[in-house]
Amino acid sequence: MGYGGFRRIHAHSCLSAGYSLILLGLNAPMSTQTWLNTIDKTSPTSHVVQLPSTETAATFTVSWTGTDVGAGVRDYTIYVSDNGGAFIAWQTNTTATSASFRGQVGHTYAFYSIARDLTGNVEAAKTTAENSTQVTAAVNQIIPTMTVTPPSKSITKKQALKVVVTVNGGGANPTPTGSVTLTGGSYTSVPTALVAGSATISIAAGSLATGSDTLTATYTPDSSSSSTYNSASATASVTVTTAAISSFTISDTAVTFVAGATTGNASTVSVIPSGGFTGSVALTAAITDSPTGAQNLPTFSFGTTTPVSITSATAGTATLTISTTASSTTPCNAANQMPRGFPWQTGGRAILACMLLFGIGGRRCRCRTMLGMIAFLGAMTCGVLACGGGAPCTPVVKPGTTAGTYTITVTGTSGTLTPTGTVTLTMQ
């Protein structure tokens, strides 16, 4: 038989140790090796190494160090403040103990560090800097000349802008290399690399506020130029206005001619774009004012000149042809002459009466027979005279388009846009 036991020989807040005794039968107890557990509840400490009060180079080295009484330091996060601004993380969870920092001439930079140990303990938060330095221009460094050139001093809210920034070292100095950043109000561009000392930065439409905007370009030299050039900046002003409404207007020419004319009876209608309008415009025309009681009103046609296609700021045109009716007079002919009287219509009734009166019983009296014949001949004479009478002839006059002044309204339609124009037509 055998049995075992455990004996704790030492313990405190950070360490715990012990060993075991094993008994087998009547043999002497056997001791195991001592085991040890380390408990780390202590946060590490760190600080940024002392910096000179000024740095003559825009790029300088920042160093830091730290200790931990337990498991040891795992990594560091380094914070920086620019000209007294809020601290932001510059190096995050880095195991390095130094790094190169690039600043700008005339700026003061403050630093502090926060360490983390291998068990996850993090150094207490800090609110003030541990060390700081100011970047000043070195005697042998050059501040380059910069220009900021927008293509226009005034744009609308809907227009984009391409700004050219140049950086010039002057004389026989090497061409500056590095990058430029453009700011204006709430707009900030991404750093854009210089190519042959120049960079073009595109600002999207709507990025700048309405009103007067100051564009500031800032040059940051890279490692190749930092020993020769300091940072520099330049500005330019741009006025941003509210974007014009994209639309068009209708313009035309007045027309005067005689009713029925087939020449000189057309008006040139112009479609004039504004506010960057482009698209297809369909044209229609209608009379909106005419002389009182006007007859045979004019009709209109644009033919194949509508729709008008607008592809640029240049106006498009169409031709409005106006058709009218000329007055006419139809001469006298059989179709418009009054009909003549039929000969028997007038004398027929008298003849019939005479025949009834004298024809019956004619043998009784020769006298009655003679009187009937005389009446018959009289009736015949009256009928002939009625047939031979002529009827009057009236010529037919057809009126043309009424003379006077007409107002023709021309409507251009493109989507929801329906601007109108007027053509003045004078009929003579």
Side-chain angles (χ1 to χ4, degrees):
M1 291 183 64
Y3 65 91
F6 168 78
R7 183 178 182 185
R8 185 173 183 180
I9 61 174
H10 181 70
H12 58 73
S13 63
C14 293
L15 301 174
S16 178
Y19 64 90
S20 298
L21 293 177
I22 301 175
L23 297 177
L24 295 175
L26 299 176
N27 296 317
M30 293 182 295
S31 168
T32 64
Q33 292 182 345
T34 301
W35 55 267
L36 177 65
N37 286 332
T38 301
I39 301 174
D40 187 355
K41 295 183 178 180
T42 305
S43 298
T45 60
S46 67
H47 67 276
V48 174
V49 176
Q50 182 68 43
L51 291 166
S53 60
T54 59
E55 292 282 357
T56 57
T59 300
F60 55 92
T61 300
V62 179
S63 300
W64 52 91
T65 186
T67 59
D68 183 61
V69 297
V73 176
R74 179 180 180 180
D75 52 36
Y76 303 88
T77 296
I78 312 302
Y79 292 84
V80 62
S81 167
D82 183 357
N83 279 344
F87 282 92
I88 61 173
W90 167 49
Q91 302 285 324
T92 303
N93 298 335
T94 178
T95 57
T97 56
S98 66
S100 293
F101 181 84
R102 179 181 295 279
Q104 296 183 38
V105 174
H107 287 232
T108 298
Y109 299 96
F111 302 87
Y112 70 75
S113 63
I114 297 294
R116 180 174 62 166
D117 69 16
L118 291 169
T119 61
N121 295 315
V122 178
E123 185 177 4
K126 301 172 183 178
T127 58
T128 59
E130 294 169 330
N131 275 297
S132 63
T133 187
Q134 182 181 32
V135 179
T136 59
V139 176
N140 62 342
Q141 285 183 309
I142 301 169
I143 298 178
T145 301
M146 294 183 62
T147 60
V148 181
T149 309
S152 175
K153 294 293 184 180
S154 179
I155 61 171
T156 68
K157 194 73 174 175
K158 289 188 176 182
Q159 289 180 297
L161 193 66
K162 285 189 176 182
V163 180
V164 178
V165 180
T166 60
V167 183
N168 190 347
N173 295 312
T175 300
T177 57
S179 62
V180 292
T181 302
L182 192 65
T183 60
S186 61
Y187 169 79
T188 300
S189 74
V190 297
T192 303
L194 290 172
V195 177
S198 177
T200 300
I201 299 174
S202 296
I203 303 176
S207 298
L208 299 177
T210 302
S212 180
D213 289 87
T214 299
L215 303 178
T216 302
T218 303
Y219 164 65
T220 302
D222 58 15
S223 57
S224 299
S225 289
S226 59
S227 60
T228 305
Y229 296 106
N230 281 312
S231 299
S233 63
T235 62
S237 295
V238 174
T239 300
V240 181
T241 59
T242 302
I245 299 174
S246 177
S247 185
F248 58 91
T249 56
I250 302 294
S251 177
D252 42 61
T253 57
V255 184
T256 300
F257 59 91
V258 177
T262 56
T263 60
N265 61 326
S267 173
T268 299
V269 178
S270 299
V271 179
I272 306 169
S274 61
F277 171 83
T278 58
S280 180
V281 179
L283 297 174
T284 56
I287 295 175
T288 53
D289 190 31
S290 61
T292 302
Q295 300 182 46
N296 296 317
L297 298 177
T299 59
F300 316 104
S301 173
F302 284 99
T304 59
T305 63
T306 184
V308 178
S309 180
I310 303 297
T311 59
S312 64
T314 303
T317 60
T319 300
L320 173 63
T321 301
I322 305 171
S323 298
T324 56
T325 303
S327 62
S328 62
T329 302
T330 302
C332 187
N333 54 39
N336 56 22
Q337 186 174 9
M338 295 292 291
R340 297 179 178 181
F342 185 68
W344 306 108
Q345 289 179 347
T346 304
R349 294 186 182 90
I351 295 170
L352 180 60
C354 292
M355 291 178 66
L356 290 174
L357 178 63
F358 301 108
I360 300 173
R363 292 180 181 181
R364 293 180 182 181
C365 180
R366 185 180 299 270
C367 180
R368 291 183 178 180
T369 302
M370 289 300 294
L371 291 174
M373 291 299 293
I374 293 170
F376 176 75
L377 291 174
M380 288 293 292
T381 302
C382 292
V384 170
L385 291 175
C387 181
C393 177
T394 303
V396 178
V397 178
K398 294 182 179 180
T401 300
T402 303
T405 301
Y406 296 78
T407 299
I408 304 167
T409 297
V410 177
T411 302
T413 302
S414 181
T416 59
L417 300 175
T418 57
T420 60
T422 58
V423 177
T424 300
L425 167 62
T426 302
M427 294 302 305
Q428 295 179 337

